[in-house]
């Protein structure tokens, strides 16, 4: 099994991101540390043609698994248009999803997100979207970043755009959570988000990716075949303290 590193500065929207860089062997505890370091450095890595057990081993090797409320006992959440436990959510439909960081409502979201594309090809749609939040915030002052927040539409709760001592960002801007702050700055951030969002259309069934959920926002295009299936696992990084969680 090999690890593909995507370019640190991904091309802008309108062009599919192409894999590049060297192949790195994946397997064993030391390699898991290497994967974590690469994800934190690059923001995103692709794991081509991995089995379900290999994918689970890789993500669980990064840190403690986050028990997602939509997931199974082992932390795996099956993402398909067939629905989910509890109330229906947009991720479990065929609709497109704008780029966002997962579990944005938590004080400090899990650091790593892994997605295994179990059934996915050119005919299924649902192509992954990625946006590097370091590019999104490039050139913004600390004061400007501190003036941004994510507001939960249901109750008006405000969550800071920049995360706490561990650094990084949260991002979500949809019907449930909205980017908020000074109007001119919010408009600029939205413009940047649209500009830097990438579409990756070359991944196929069996491929997986791991992202730094504090740096890279992800989404997808509309699903055109409801048989598309992905499996998601979230994990905390070892340096996320109990106080943060």
């Amino acid at each position: 099994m090999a690890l593909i590193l995507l370019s640190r500065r991904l091309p802008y929207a309108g062009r599919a991101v192409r894999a590049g860089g060297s192949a790195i062997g994946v397997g064993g505890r030391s390699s898991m540390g290497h994967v974590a370091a690469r994800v934190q450095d690059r923001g995103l890595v692709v794991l081509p043609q991995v089995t379900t057990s290999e994918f689970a081993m890789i993500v669980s090797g990064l840190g403690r698994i986050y028990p997602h409320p939509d997931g199974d006992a082992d932390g795996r959440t099956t993402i398909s248009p067939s629905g989910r436990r509890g109330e229906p959510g947009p991720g479990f439909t065929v609709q497109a999803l704008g780029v966002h960081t997962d579990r944005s409502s938590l004080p400090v979201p899990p650091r790593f997100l892994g997605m295994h594309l179990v059934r996915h090809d050119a005919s299924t749609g649902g192509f992954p979207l990625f946006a590097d939040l370091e590019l999104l915030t490039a050139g913004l002052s600390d004061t400007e970043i501190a003036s941004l927040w994510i507001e939960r539409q249901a109750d008006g709760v405000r969550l800071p755009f920049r995360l706490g001592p561990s650094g990084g960002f949260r991002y979500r801007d949809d019907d449930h959570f909205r980017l908020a702050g000074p109007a001119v700055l919010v408009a600029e951030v939205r413009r940047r988000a649209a500009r830097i969002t990438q579409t990756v259309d070359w991944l196929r069934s069996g491929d997986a990716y791991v992202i730094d959920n504090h740096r890279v926002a992800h989404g997808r295009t509309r699903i055109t075949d409801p048989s598309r299936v992905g499996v998601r696992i979230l994990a905390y990084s070892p340096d996320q303290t109990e106080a943060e969680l």
Side-chain angles (χ1 to χ4, degrees):
M1 177 169 43
L3 175 71
I4 295 176
L5 308 177
L6 298 188
S7 170
R8 181 175 177 82
R9 289 190 174 271
L10 306 178
Y12 290 137
R15 292 180 289 168
V17 180
R18 295 297 170 188
S22 58
I24 300 171
V26 175
R29 183 170 299 178
S30 62
S31 292
M32 293 306 98
H34 200 180
V35 171
R38 289 294 189 170
V39 174
Q40 291 176 338
D41 176 52
R42 301 294 183 107
L44 185 157
V45 296
V46 170
L47 305 164
Q49 296 303 294
V50 295
T51 65
T52 300
S53 60
E54 287 172 334
F55 169 70
M57 177 194 71
I58 291 166
V59 180
S60 63
L62 300 178
R64 182 162 62 89
I65 296 300
Y66 168 73
H68 198 288
D70 294 325
D72 297 329
D74 59 5
R76 304 183 199 191
T77 303
T78 299
I79 309 292
S80 75
S82 61
R84 69 170 192 178
R85 300 175 181 179
E87 295 297 318
F92 300 86
T93 69
V94 298
Q95 72 184 62
L97 300 177
V99 292
H100 61 282
T101 53
D102 254 39
R103 308 310 288 161
S104 295
S105 62
L106 297 178
V108 181
R111 182 67 182 268
F112 300 112
L113 179 147
M115 179 69 76
H116 189 208
L117 300 171
V118 178
R119 167 76 174 90
H120 176 92
D121 58 36
S123 68
T124 63
F127 301 134
L129 306 175
F130 300 111
D132 188 333
L133 299 180
E134 287 191 358
L135 293 180
L136 185 76
T137 56
L140 298 183
S141 69
D142 289 341
T143 300
E144 288 174 314
I145 292 174
S147 72
L148 294 170
W149 69 89
I150 307 300
E151 183 170 317
R152 189 160 57 198
Q153 297 297 90
D155 54 14
V157 167
R158 295 182 175 187
L159 299 153
F161 174 70
R162 190 197 292 275
L163 298 176
S166 61
F169 307 94
R170 80 180 81 236
Y171 186 82
R172 188 167 171 181
D173 193 23
D174 54 34
D175 292 340
H176 302 284
F177 292 81
R178 302 293 288 179
L179 179 68
V184 172
L185 182 58
V186 168
E188 169 63 13
V189 170
R190 285 175 173 161
R191 184 192 68 79
R192 291 186 180 193
R195 185 175 180 231
I196 68 171
T197 295
Q198 317 297 301
T199 302
V200 177
D201 63 0
W202 46 267
L203 297 175
R204 294 296 180 261
S205 297
D207 291 336
Y209 59 82
V210 180
I211 63 174
D212 182 342
N213 189 47
H214 293 183
R215 171 180 167 184
V216 175
H218 71 287
R220 73 177 185 223
T221 63
R222 182 175 177 82
I223 293 174
T224 55
D225 182 343
S227 69
R228 180 188 183 272
V229 177
V231 173
R232 177 189 61 204
I233 303 178
L234 292 153
Y236 294 110
S237 63
D239 61 357
Q240 287 187 277
T241 67
E242 292 298 325
E244 288 182 326
L245 307 182

